[in-house]
Amino acid sequence: MQKAVETPREQAGAPLLGSPERVADHLNNRIFFRLFQVANTLQKQAVKELGVTTVQWAVLGALSDPRPTYGVSVGTLADFLVVSRQNLDGVLKRLERDGLVERVTDPEDKRGRVVNLTTEGFAFWNDLRERIFQFYDQAVRGFKFDDRVALAHYLNSLQGQLTKVSLEQPRRERKKGRKRS
């Protein structure tokens, strides 16, 4: 009897298709792919229905909090929103261009700068907020209150677990493609 030739998957030590590890891998892949799709759908629908990107929406919402009356530093805002400072800077530039936010000297540290909503930004946010509540209501229409609580709980737990991910093996560098002339 001839021995079957191993596939590259088997050579790499991948679990067999019907094994419990393999089923868990497929389920995990499905969960994270669905999160990816949900995030992209939210982005697409936010732009279509509200006229703002999800990051703009989050920035305006964070800055609308009346407690930090003197503004929020870019670093603090980036950390709060879990975005890079570079990505946030581009968003802030567009919001500044539209007259919704401004960067001013930090009154507590003259070397620093903070971001504030402008008067126009507050008015824009107040109008947008009402539409956002309608957006939320339609998006979760089929969810019972307890389902919403559970979903929020599990998403919070997942975010916490994601911050703890630390793979033992160093990440593999991608091969750079050849430039076409």
Side-chain angles (χ1 to χ4, degrees):
M1 181 176 199
Q2 270 187 334
K3 182 179 175 187
V5 177
E6 285 186 335
T7 66
R9 183 181 311 269
E10 292 167 327
Q11 291 170 352
L16 299 175
L17 289 177
S19 70
E21 301 90 21
R22 195 71 184 156
V23 171
D25 287 343
H26 284 294
L27 180 57
N28 290 339
N29 186 62
R30 186 179 196 136
I31 290 167
F32 283 92
F33 184 66
R34 185 65 68 214
L35 282 171
F36 170 78
Q37 290 177 316
V38 167
N40 287 330
T41 303
L42 174 60
Q43 172 68 17
K44 185 177 179 180
Q45 287 300 106
V47 171
K48 178 182 170 194
E49 299 297 328
L50 301 170
V52 295
T53 67
T54 54
V55 178
Q56 289 170 334
W57 171 353
V59 167
L60 293 170
L63 294 176
S64 72
D65 185 341
R67 286 175 290 183
T69 56
Y70 56 86
V72 179
S73 74
V74 173
T76 299
L77 193 55
D79 289 345
F80 177 69
L81 299 175
V82 192
V83 296
S84 72
R85 290 175 70 120
Q86 293 81 2
N87 285 346
L88 181 57
D89 186 61
V91 172
L92 290 174
K93 284 179 182 172
R94 287 185 288 283
L95 292 172
E96 282 177 306
R97 178 199 64 209
D98 295 343
L100 301 176
V101 303
E102 62 184 354
R103 293 185 227 201
V104 296
T105 302
D106 185 341
E108 294 181 358
D109 178 2
K110 300 295 181 201
R111 297 169 296 169
R113 296 181 53 81
V114 293
V115 184
N116 286 313
L117 277 182
T118 63
T119 303
E120 185 180 339
F122 272 108
F124 181 82
W125 174 251
N126 285 334
D127 291 341
L128 181 63
R129 203 173 110 200
E130 290 307 313
R131 297 184 67 222
I132 287 171
F133 290 149
Q134 293 172 15
F135 186 96
Y136 290 156
D137 288 341
Q138 288 184 32
V140 296
R141 183 176 289 142
F143 288 67
K144 294 177 186 149
F145 179 80
D146 290 348
D147 295 336
R148 296 175 198 191
V149 171
L151 180 58
H153 166 76
Y154 288 120
L155 290 172
N156 286 335
S157 295
L158 180 58
Q159 184 181 14
Q161 288 299 112
L162 280 170
T163 64
K164 297 175 186 174
V165 170
S166 177
L167 302 179
E168 292 177 15
Q169 298 175 337
R171 78 172 190 210
R172 252 179 134 171
E173 295 298 322
R174 292 184 3 200
K175 293 180 183 176
K176 305 277 187 205
R178 287 184 280 153
K179 291 184 179 180
R180 296 181 187 183
S181 330

